[in-house]
Amino acid sequence: MTKVLFVVTAATGWTLKDGSVHPTGYWAEELAEPHRLFREAGWGTTIATPGGVAPTLDELSLGVAGGMPKRRKEIRAYLDSIKQELDHPLALDTVDESDYDLVFYPGGHGPMEDLAVDPVSGTLLVRRLDSGQPLALLCHARPPSSPPRATTVPTHSSVAR
C-alpha cells in the first residue's frame, strides 16, 4: 500500500512582529482535501506533529475565508470523520520519513510558528530533498529560505524559493 506522512503543525498561536499572538493552527481545507483524496485512492495516511501534540484547527479556515457554507460543512464533516487520527498523531521525532512514499505538509499559519523553526522538521526536509523522494508543501507550509537543521545544509536550490 502506498503511504503518505502528513507533517502537521502543533501550533495554537502565531506570534506577530509586535509580540501579540494570533490564534492559528492548520488550514482546514489544506489538510482535509488532500487527506480525503489520498484515502479515496487507497493510500495509508499517518499524521505526525512536533511532540505528538494533537493539531489545532484554525477556525478562520472554516469561516468566510474558507469558502462557501456548503463546502465548509463538507470539510468540517470530513475532519470530524478523521478525528481519531487527528487526536492521536505520532511524534515527529519518532517517525522515519523513508517509510513513506510521500511526505506532505499542509498549510495554515501554524507551520510558520513551529515547523519553520523545528530542527526535526528541518532535518526531515533536508533528508527528503536529498533522497529525491516525493515531498509536498502546501501554501504556508513551505520552509523559510534556510530551513532549521541539525547538521546538514540543503543541497537543492528549491529550498530557497
Side-chain angles (χ1 to χ4, degrees), residues 42-117:
W43 291 27
T45 57
T46 300
I47 293 175
T49 65
V53 175
T56 298
L57 168 67
D58 186 333
E59 290 295 335
L60 287 177
S61 67
L62 290 177
V64 294
M68 299 302 288
K70 180 178 185 263
R71 181 69 183 135
R72 295 190 316 252
K73 283 181 78 172
E74 292 168 352
I75 293 167
R76 170 86 66 189
Y78 185 79
L79 291 172
D80 288 345
S81 78
I82 62 168
K83 184 175 177 10
Q84 237 356 67
E85 190 176 359
L86 288 167
D87 286 349
H88 303 284
L90 298 178
L92 188 57
D93 63 357
T94 67
V95 175
D96 180 354
E97 86 283 346
S98 68
D99 291 339
Y100 296 87
D101 300 287
L102 169 66
V103 173
F104 179 81
Y105 281 67
H109 291 129
M112 297 188 302
E113 180 73 18
D114 62 354
L115 295 174
V117 297

Side-chain angles (χ1 to χ4, degrees), residues 33-54:
E33 192 61 14
H35 192 282
R36 181 187 66 77
L37 291 170
F38 292 132
R39 279 274 178 91
E40 286 179 358
W43 291 27
T45 57
T46 300
I47 293 175
T49 65
V53 175

